[in-house]
Amino acid sequence: MRWNNGIDARLAASGLGMAYLACNLGDRHPNLIRAPFQKPMPYRSIWLLLHRDLKNTARVRLFVDFLAASVQSRRNEFWVAGTKLHQ
């Protein structure tokens, strides 16, 4: 089964029910509120798996470094208030 969080958020924001979304997605929609009976899930790590033969390839390394810098620069978007931020 596949889920599309963007569609779920838009449907819930238009009043067609509830959606189970990551806080960083739901918080972007002004018409959505967090369910008062749900607590945010704790911070989770983001993992990127690479085949050992490719991890030192220049184009793969460039992408990995770009992705890591992008996620690191926006880490507050992935962190949920009230949970512990691991460094």
Side-chain angles (χ1 to χ4, degrees):
M1 186 180 289
R2 258 177 99 180
W3 297 100
N4 184 320
N5 286 331
I7 291 173
D8 291 350
R10 281 184 268 152
L11 291 172
S14 66
L16 292 174
M18 296 174 63
Y20 186 79
L21 303 169
C23 291
N24 67 318
L25 296 175
D27 289 347
R28 296 177 190 174
H29 290 272
N31 294 338
L32 293 178
I33 60 169
R34 292 186 187 180
F37 50 85
Q38 287 290 102
K39 290 184 181 178
M41 294 176 72
Y43 176 82
R44 293 189 178 190
S45 298
I46 297 175
W47 288 69
L48 177 64
L49 303 178
L50 301 171
H51 192 280
R52 81 172 54 119
D53 293 344
L54 297 176
K55 72 178 183 177
N56 293 318
T57 304
R59 67 180 176 214
V60 172
R61 188 77 254 158
L62 188 64
F63 172 73
V64 168
D65 292 343
F66 166 78
L67 186 61
S70 297
V71 170
Q72 182 67 23
S73 71
R74 297 173 61 184
R75 75 177 182 189
N76 287 337
E77 293 178 39
F78 298 99
W79 178 70
V80 177
T83 62
K84 200 180 239 186
L85 178 63
H86 299 287
Q87 306 243 352

